[in-house]
């Protein structure tokens, strides 16, 4: 997930980045980070979970990262390769990265192009179970041209070549340390996975999985004056509320992130004046998904919830639109997220250049919804529930067990009831709901229900991949082990064609135009209904200076943090 | 419920030394609690104005139905419960309220043999240590001497002295009662309360234990309060008999007089239930069947507490408590009809 | 007694095998997926490969037998190597957690110290406080002390640690600012100030946990004492002229402790099992937190291994409790 500072939060951030005192390395003591989800492993290639990749970003670095504005900046690379500077081939089929000269690993050895090539081999090994494998797909070969130059050749034209070696999910690992960890041996390299040699501002000194990580300043970090902190004490466990308390109320810790806590509770804690809250709006959108196929249990398992049987109620776009019109997104956002959320009609809410900024869905229109349902032939029955051909307008609505979501369910049920729709609510444990186990009937991908609610997001600032998740061929099917990102089973040839066009378009303005069009097509289909644009909330103590809560990792600029005196 | 001033007329029989134990107007009320917080709501009058005297070297039998307060009386006498009222005199000394060291010293002289020979022995102590324990406390006997004394005692009650290292559960009921007796004898007491010592034993063993008690009485010149509900056993063992009903003594007197000529209607009823060995007398025996249940000691009847079941009760019995009166020689009775 | 113990242990072997099979099957039957916590942006094909790398898709019998081999052969060999400096287990695949890709036993070893320290200390403190409370409440039944004790015990048993823990944090950390809310597992005690720090960080979790132990053990001892105080042998002891101290502490307490010692022993496996809620609240991150995070993450090897170790501990401590009973109570003999 990528976090980008919204315009609103920007002001707060700016004051935090106030000129750091020019300090020497390691003079500011230890910075204390609290994460209620503790890191399990320091090798992002074997996890992909944010709690791990964020922590690892203190140690391992990619060639380039995204900054707080969602813009690429070089880390190990000397500069960002572009078509203009010749780094990206004119035919968009290869990219050539140049390393900064004189880079050292934390053990003192030199970083070379061979390490970068090794990293690619490590992740692309089919038996290794690399979590970032998708970023390496389409790569033909990765070769070292000289000690400092790496050339990545793609099989096909690739308009956004900044996937592998970019951002915290795909950092460079040391060839020497991981030499014996390829393929099936990857999980056995406990020492390397817990104590990776890196180039980042810190080195792991003591790793206790799911509990605590102690890091110390990297003696070979490329900027001799950084980091200002001599070490990081990274503690995990507990819950989000306790983490917020430790920063905002007892000042035991300098930073706590992923604070999914009721907004009023957090702002009350912040009033104590011991710390600050920071909301970072990424691309997280709490969304309703309509099942366009029939989930009826009477269908044979290989046909249930597949395009063989359109949904008896929801395949009618008027019904879907009516359901959307009955929603008051602003109310939902206010109740569930306060200042940490914003009502939205876009499933691509950011970065600004790609956001369509649609607003017409925000106004609740119950009479309009009623009219639409009447037109669609659903007439109120004796009990107020609409019927058509003696079939009741009744929907099952599933989400994960979570206070805010279950509250949303109840509110939405009431609104839909007002327009004569009967709703049966269900909630499932997140680990069951988001399981990819094809034998479980309860996964979000199987969609044995009519409506689902969960948060979807893009993990790259360029939404090219994200919009492509709703193409016809991505619908989960039994013969694909029910895997597939197009959960509503939406299928529109126009949409698919536009996605294809996007894949061939390199110019950013053109791309933005296409993404906005795609966003509007999907929104107007009401197959998915974006509700609330959610921020990620973190808290920092008053004495932590230099923290900027966005970029690809929450700790992307840890080298610049310092202790405020 | 206060007894008549007749109590005051009790006089020592043949000099002060003749009576070893005298209890006057003794009462013991168990508090009762109710509710979660256990508020005290009333009392069970287990012993409610008892007068007794036990003469040195003799045995007083205390009889009565189960639940009438015999055990409680025995225990109050030994000060295992603190009396609610009245007075206990032992060997001329008022022991009603003595405490601490004095009480413990006195306990060496008064002992108890319990009804349940199993429950009265600490299951986690060996027989030897059960017997020897008070010897440390009261006699300051050490090592060898203590062992010797333990062996002597086991021998005296007819047990193999080697058993000293065993635990109580390894013995039979009769053997356990012997251990209980040996334990009671350890400190050379003058007075022993035998609380139904044979009631829990097999009939075949009962006689053995009773004979043992008799032998020991002679050997150590002991004074017994023998509690029992078995009138034939009392007749066999006791010189004097006291009959108790619902916390009070109804009649007290020498055994032969009581058995031949009971004066209290309750004593008469009890005796009428005892089979007589002579078949002619047995045939002529008229059983007096008592009606009704034993009233609750928490709320005894007014006046005479036997009146609810007394076959000869009359109106005065409900209004007035019969006095504890001396009728003749050593005979005492509490009944309006016996005046 | 030794024969009895050996016989019981042998009899436990098939039971434990059955338990391990049941744990395994239950874990496999339960819905869930070790990858469910990963970002949705990881595409299905990649997930498939990750699952394969974890061995999730191997036939169940293969997975179970592998675990058995790892648990009963490789891990003991590994322990042997550590003790005697040999290299018997080199290159063998130990039980690996799906979450951390690290050996499960290393994690257990890492977490056992804080669990034993906090949960164990709470247990000891709890028992030490419970015993005098139980004695006095029984000896002075219905007294003010007893009634306050009863009330507080009911409170202690009724209030769950997620409430009392947070309450303690609000009072002692937020308002009074005396105690830390976060347990530092990396603290090394080698000086007076470290010791104080360790003491302070243990104070709240130990308190919260001890309250539960105090409440249950003191109630237990109280009723056991009351049972015994009514016994004739206590009267015997008094009739012997023994002092009240001897009567209460030698006669009554020793007999009353028999069932209580059993209860205390049977509670010991839970000390090793840690305290899930309290460990979470104060971030002690011991065995309890390991188990709960492993359950949430569907980390089957970790859950399976922990659950099986608990099963073994329960069997062993049951046996110890039975043997202790035999030692303490001469009426019980095992032949
Ligand atoms: N510890 C006690 N608490 C309350 N009531 C008691 C207690 N012990 C005896 N009682 C009651 O006192 C009365 C007399 O009991 P007890 O002396 O044992 O009678 P007996 O020995 O003649 O059968 C009974 O009603 C009994 O229930
Ligand atoms: S006083 Fe009355 S009731 Fe009591 S025994 Fe005598 S006659 Fe019966
Ligand atoms: Mg009795």
């Amino acid at each position: 997930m990528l976090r980008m500072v919204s315009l609103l939060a920007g002001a707060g951030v700016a004051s935090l980045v106030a000129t750091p005192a020019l300090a020497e390395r390691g003079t500011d003591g230890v910075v204390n980070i609290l994460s209620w989800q503790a890191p399990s492993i320091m090798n992002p290639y074997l996890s992909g979970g944010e709690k791990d990749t964020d922590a690892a970003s203190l140690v391992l670095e990619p060639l380039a990262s995204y900054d707080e504005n969602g813009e690429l900046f070089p880390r190990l690379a000397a500069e960002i390769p572009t078509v203009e500077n010749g780094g990206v081939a004119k035919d968009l089929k290869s990219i050539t990265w140049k390393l900064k000269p004189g880079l050292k690993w934390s053990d003192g050895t030199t970083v070379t192009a061979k390490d970068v090539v090794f990293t690619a081999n490590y992740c692309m090994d089919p038996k290794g179970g690399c979590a970032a494998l998708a970023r390496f797909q389409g790569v033909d070969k990765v070769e070292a041209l000289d000690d400092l130059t790496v050339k990545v050749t793609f099989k096909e034209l690739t308009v956004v070549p900044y996937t592998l070696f970019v951002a915290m999910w795909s950092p460079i690992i040391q060839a020497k340390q991981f030499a014996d960890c390829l393929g099936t041996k990857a999980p056995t390299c406990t020492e390397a996975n817990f104590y990776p040699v890196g180039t980042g501002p810190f080195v792991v000194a003591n790793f206790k999985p799911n509990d605590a990580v102690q890091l110390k300043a990297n003696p070979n970090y490329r900027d001799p004056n950084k980091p200002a902190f001599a070490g990081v004490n990274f503690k995990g466990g507990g819950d989000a509320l306790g983490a917020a308390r430790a920063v905002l109320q007892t000042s035991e810790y300098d930073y706590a992130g992923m604070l999914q806590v009721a907004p009023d509770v957090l702002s009350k804690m912040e009033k104590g004046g011991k710390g600050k809250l920071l909301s970072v709006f990424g691309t997280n959108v709490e969304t309703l998904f309509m099942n366009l196929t029939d989930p009826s249990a009477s269908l044979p398992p290989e046909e249930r919830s597949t395009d063989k049987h359109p949904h008896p109620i929801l395949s009618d776009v008027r019904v879907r639109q009516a359901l959307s019109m009955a929603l008051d997104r602003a109310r939902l956002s206010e109740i569930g997220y306060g200042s940490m959320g914003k009502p939205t009609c876009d499933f691509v809410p950011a970065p600004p250049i790609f956001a369509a900024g649609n607003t017409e869905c925000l106004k609740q229109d119950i009479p309009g919804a009623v009219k639409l349902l009447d037109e669609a032939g659903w007439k109120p029955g004796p009990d107020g529930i609409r019927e058509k051909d003696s079939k009741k307008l009744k929907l099952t609505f599933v989400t994960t067990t979570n206070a805010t979501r279950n509250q949303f369910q109840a509110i939405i049920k009431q609104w839909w009831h007002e327009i004569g729709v009967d709703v049966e609510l269900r909630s499932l444990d997140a680990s069951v709901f988001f399981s990819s186990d094809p034998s479980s009937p309860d996964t979000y991908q199987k969609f044995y229900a009519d409506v689902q609610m969960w948060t979807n997001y893009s993990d790259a600032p360029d939404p090219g991949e994200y919009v492509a998740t709703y193409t016809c061929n991505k619908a989960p099917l039994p013969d694909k082990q029910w895997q597939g990102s197009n959960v509503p089973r939406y299928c529109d040839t126009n949409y698919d064609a536009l996605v294809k066009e996007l894949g061939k378009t390199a110019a950013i303005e053109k791309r933005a135009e296409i993404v906005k069009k795609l966003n509007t097509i999907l929104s107007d289909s009401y197959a998915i209904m974006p509700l609330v644009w959610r921020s990620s909330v973190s808290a920092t103590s008053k004495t932590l200076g230099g923290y900027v809560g966005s970029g690809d990792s929450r700790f992307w600029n840890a080298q610049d943090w310092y202790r405020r005196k | 419920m206060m007894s008549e001033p007749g109590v005051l007329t009790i006089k020592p029989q043949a000099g002060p030394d003749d009576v070893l134990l005298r209890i006057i107007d003794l009462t013991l009320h168990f508090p009762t609690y109710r509710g979660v917080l256990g508020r005290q709501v009333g009392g069970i009058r287990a012993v409610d104005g008892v007068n007794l005297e036990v003469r040195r070297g003799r045995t007083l039998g205390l009889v009565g139905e189960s639940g009438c307060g015999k055990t409680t009386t025995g225990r109050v006498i030994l000060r295992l419960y603190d009396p609610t009222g009245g007075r206990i005199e032992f060997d001329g000394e008022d022991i009603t309220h003595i405490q601490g060291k004095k009480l413990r010293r006195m306990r060496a002289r008064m002992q108890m043999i319990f009804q349940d020979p199993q429950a009265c022995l600490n299951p986690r102590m060996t027989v030897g240590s059960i017997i020897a324990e008070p010897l440390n406390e009261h006699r300051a006997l050490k090592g060898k001497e203590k062992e010797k004394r333990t062996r002597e005692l086991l021998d005296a009650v007819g047990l193999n002295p080697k058993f000293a290292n065993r635990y109580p559960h390894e013995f039979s009921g009769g053997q356990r009662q012997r251990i209980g007796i040996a334990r009671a004898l350890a400190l050379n007491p003058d007075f022993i309360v035998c609380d139904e010592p044979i009631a829990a034993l097999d009939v075949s063993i009962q006689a053995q234990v009773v004979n043992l008690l008799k032998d020991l009485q002679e050997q150590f010149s002991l004074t017994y309060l023998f509690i029992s509900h078995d009138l034939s056993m009392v007749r066999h063992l006791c010189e004097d008999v006291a009959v108790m009903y619902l916390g009070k003594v109804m009649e007290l007197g020498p055994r032969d007089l009581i058995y031949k000529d009971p004066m209290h209607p309750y004593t008469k009823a009890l005796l009428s239930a005892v089979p007589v060995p002579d078949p002619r007398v047995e045939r002529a025996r008229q059983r007096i069947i008592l009606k009704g249940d034993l009233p609750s000691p928490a709320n005894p009847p007014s006046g005479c507490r036997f009146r609810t079941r007394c076959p000869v009760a009359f109106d005065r019995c409900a209004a007035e408590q019969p006095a504890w009166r001396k009728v003749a020689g050593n005979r005492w009775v509490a009944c309006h009809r016996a005046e | 007694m030794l024969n009895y113990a050996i016989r019981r242990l042998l009899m436990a072997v098939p039971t434990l095998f059955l338990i391990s099979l049941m744990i395994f099957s239950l874990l496999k039957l339960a819905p869930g997926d070790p990858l469910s916590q990963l970002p949705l942006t990881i595409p299905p094909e990649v997930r498939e490969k990750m699952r394969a790398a974890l061995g999730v898709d191997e036939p169940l019998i293969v997975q179970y037998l592998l675990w058995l081999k790892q648990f009963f052969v490789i891990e003991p060999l590994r322990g042997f190597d550590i003790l005697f400096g040999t290299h018997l287990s080199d290159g063998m695949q130990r039980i690996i957690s799906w979450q951390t890709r690290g050996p499960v036993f290393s994690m257990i070893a890492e977490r056992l110290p804080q669990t034993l320290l906090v949960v164990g200390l709470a247990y000891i403190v709890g028992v030490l406080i419970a015993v005098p409370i139980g004695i006095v409440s029984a000896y002075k039944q219905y007294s003010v002390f007893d009634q306050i004790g009863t009330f507080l015990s009911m409170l202690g048993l009724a209030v769950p640690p997620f409430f009392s823990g947070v309450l303690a944090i609000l009072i002692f950390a937020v308002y009074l600012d005396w105690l830390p809310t976060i347990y530092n597992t990396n603290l090394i005690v080698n000086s007076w100030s470290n010791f104080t720090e360790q003491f302070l960080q243990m104070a709240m979790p130990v308190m919260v946990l001890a309250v539960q132990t105090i409440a249950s053990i003191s109630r237990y001892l109280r009723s056991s004492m009351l049972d015994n105080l009514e016994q004739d042998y206590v009267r015997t002891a008094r009739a012997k002229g023994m002092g009240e101290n001897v009567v209460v502490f030698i006669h009554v307490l020793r007999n009353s402790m028999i069932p209580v010692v059993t209860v205390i022993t049977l509670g010991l496996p839970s000390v090793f099992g840690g305290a899930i809620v309290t460990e979470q609240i104060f971030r002690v991150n011991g065995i309890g937190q390991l188990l709960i995070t492993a359950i949430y993450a569907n980390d089957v090897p970790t859950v399976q291994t922990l659950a099986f170790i608990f099963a073994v501990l329960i069997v062993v401590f049951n046996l110890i409790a039975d043997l202790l009973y035999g030692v303490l109570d001469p009426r019980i003999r095992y032949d």
Side-chain angles (χ1 to χ4, degrees), chain B residues 264-265 304 306-307 310 312-313 317 322 335-337:
Chain B
H264 196 281
C304 172
F306 185 53
R307 69 171 165 88
C310 180
V312 293
C317 303
C335 172
H336 294 311
R337 291 269 192 208

Side-chain angles (χ1 to χ4, degrees), chain A residues 442-511:
Chain A
D442 292 326
T443 67
Y444 75 110
Q445 286 170 313
K446 250 188 190 168
F447 211 159
Y448 283 175
D450 304 311
V451 182
Q452 287 181 346
M453 179 168 63
W454 39 279
T455 289
N456 209 3
Y457 50 85
S458 158
D459 68 356
D462 185 285
E465 283 297 317
Y466 187 42
V467 292
T469 54
Y470 295 107
T471 55
C472 300
N473 60 348
K474 298 255 170 67
L477 281 172
D479 53 8
K480 287 195 288 183
Q481 301 295 308
W482 293 102
Q483 303 298 312
S485 52
N486 182 358
V487 173
R489 284 102 167 117
Y490 171 73
C491 189
D492 179 346
T493 44
N494 285 336
Y495 190 90
D496 282 19
L498 262 180
V499 168
K500 208 170 224 162
E501 193 189 327
L502 183 68
K504 293 192 202 118
T505 310
I508 182 96
E509 294 79 14
K510 270 271 180 56
R511 292 180 65 77

Side-chain angles (χ1 to χ4, degrees), chain C residues 229-300:
Chain C
L229 277 167
E230 279 303 303
Q231 297 284 317
D232 276 347
Y233 75 81
V234 179
R235 288 199 190 89
T236 308
R238 292 219 175 91
K240 281 176 185 176
M242 311 311 295
E244 274 309 285
N245 282 341
V246 175
V247 172
V248 173
F249 290 105
I250 307 285
H251 290 262
V252 180
L253 184 59
R254 273 164 121 205
N255 278 288
S256 309
M257 281 308 279
I258 297 175
V260 179
V261 165
T262 310
V263 170
I264 292 173
T265 313
L266 290 178
L268 280 173
S270 64
V271 170
F272 289 89
I276 290 175
V277 176
T278 312
E279 282 187 10
Q280 281 277 82
I281 293 175
F282 297 102
R283 293 174 172 79
V284 176
N285 295 351
I287 303 284
Q289 193 258 5
L290 178 65
L291 179 65
I292 194 71
T293 47
I295 289 173
Y296 277 134
N298 283 289
D299 183 354
V300 173

Side-chain angles (χ1 to χ4, degrees), chain B residues 30 44 46 65-73 81 195-196 297, chain C residues 230:
Chain B
F30 289 113
I44 293 172
E65 285 166 272
S66 172
C68 71
K70 305 181 297 294
T71 299
T72 310
T73 307
Y81 296 138
D195 185 5
E196 312 213 31
Chain C
E230 279 303 303

Side-chain angles (χ1 to χ4, degrees), chain B residues 37 104 120 122 124 133 169, chain C residues 147 236 241 251 254-255 330:
Chain B
L37 293 179
R104 280 194 279 138
C120 71
N122 188 336
R124 284 188 66 186
E133 195 185 24
H169 70 274
Chain C
Q147 302 196 347
T236 308
H251 290 262
R254 273 164 121 205
N255 278 288

